[in-house]
Amino acid sequence: DPEIAELARKALTGIFEVRGEAYITKADFAAINAEQEAAGQPTYANPRNLAAGSMRQLDPALVKARRLKFMAFAVATNLGQEHHWQEHAIARALGFPVEKHSVRCASLGEVEQFLDTWRDRRKELPFGTDGAVMVVDQEAVFERLGVVGKAPRGAVAFKFPAEQATTVIEDIELRIGRTGAVTPTAVLRPVRIAGTTVQRATLHNADEIARKDIRIGDTVILQKAGDIIPEVVEVVLPLRPANAVPYTYPSEVAGVPLMRREGEVAYYVDIAAVEARGEVGGLLDEVVKRKLEHFASRGAMDIEGLGEKVAAQLVDAGLVIHFSDLFTLSVDDLMGLEGFARISGEKLVAAIAASKQQSLQRLLFGLGIRHVGAETTRTLVRWLQERGVGSLASALPILYGATQADFAELPDVGPVVGESLAESFARADFRAELELLVAQGVQGVVPVLAQAGSGPLLGKSLVVTGTLSGFSREEAEEAIRRAGGKAAGSISAATDYLVAGEKAGSKLKKAEELGVPILDEEAFVEIVRGWA
């Protein structure tokens, strides 16, 4: 196709971005596990998890040994393509492997036919797949549909029916998460399903156990949701043992009473009360470990080197119970832990110290407040910015004084999340922890918000389009607002600037037609520097 060839040549004249997926084939996965067994090492659970874990490795030799392959599914750079199918063709012309069975469907009927065909034929593929992704073909329509968080409205994943098997529930265990939520888990007679041996499956909550009438000793039909997460579909009643009795949810775990909030399905342990007394142990240690993992995770405080294993070591050694304990750790404290030497200890202590400069949004998200995710904490920080808050220390009086109604009035918060925020900031132990963090130098930095009558973009209306390398769409729009401007969603004659990243599409064309000045990312960064 001459048009595709020309678009591919255009890509080679500068920088272009190809997006796709890393994966491990079924054959390579079997070979890797055979090598693990021969070396006396544990085998891996499934190709998807192994591929994802391999992508996070820093050792190139280790990654190479995992036999990762790449499959392209999009060309993010705007080369002039108007259809998604062209992106597949451009990627192929550039030499990238593209899934050869992808097709362009002219109607929903053709989409349904494709899905019906591959519901069973997917087993013929050299890699595992649990579904197919459908993408709006017209680029302009795809962009106009927009994005929610990281999910584009112009694409949807269809999941194929999961493979099923039968097994026996030998016991039901309770596991406690970082918020204190208690999740029942079925202990199963081991069974092979979707390529792996399954020994546990989530039962979700007490209501689900009662609805399905799941009992210890029952034979059940099991499947993997998304071919990954095991779940119990239903009980095979004719095979129920005569002595099987309805499951009774316990009133306490590890000596801690369980509670259930009105309108919620989950039971909780009162973690706050236990932590306030310093009584952690047994199952409750798991809560502290999960909370610490979350606090240190990439989306929160981003403490390099503090993952699941190290979090468990710190808690098991009694070095960390509260987040604030992290900031008192010394290299000597770490030297007694397995895998730590002087240099690795110094690196972790330095990473913890560096996290003191993290943003308030990341800090609030890392605290793991019930029902409060990354989007809510961004909303909360914008609200605090408008009140002149610049750090965690200056935010605390406002947060302490806010009521459920105050929080519930914020965009996309509502009464349930508002209640959770109000309850958390009213608790004496939670406040004491926040104040300890402040005393230990944790900044919780809040970017400057332009005051009325100031900012380099004062009175200006800007629209952001395309992909920016240094900002998400939300971050770019927040930078505009902090610099005194207005972040608009559509181009008009009243628009002062269009900020155009890669794959800018129809908004770029409209801006050119209307004579709206266009800023590339470099020019945008120069304007908002110090405000972003």
Side-chain angles (χ1 to χ4, degrees), residues 260-266 416:
R260 197 178 196 184
R261 297 176 174 89
E262 186 177 352
E264 296 188 22
V265 295
V416 173

Side-chain angles (χ1 to χ4, degrees), residues 413-476:
V413 172
V416 173
V417 178
E419 180 182 13
S420 181
L421 286 165
E423 283 182 356
S424 296
F425 290 114
R427 277 173 26 210
D429 62 301
F430 194 72
R431 290 186 177 192
E433 175 70 353
L434 291 171
E435 285 154 18
L436 268 175
L437 291 173
V438 171
Q440 290 161 346
V442 176
Q443 297 298 305
V445 177
V446 179
V448 174
L449 181 67
Q451 301 298 313
S454 66
L457 294 176
L458 180 65
K460 303 293 185 183
S461 175
L462 288 83
V463 174
V464 180
T465 189
T467 303
L468 302 174
S469 62
F471 302 84
S472 68
R473 179 73 58 85
E474 276 197 351
E475 289 168 342

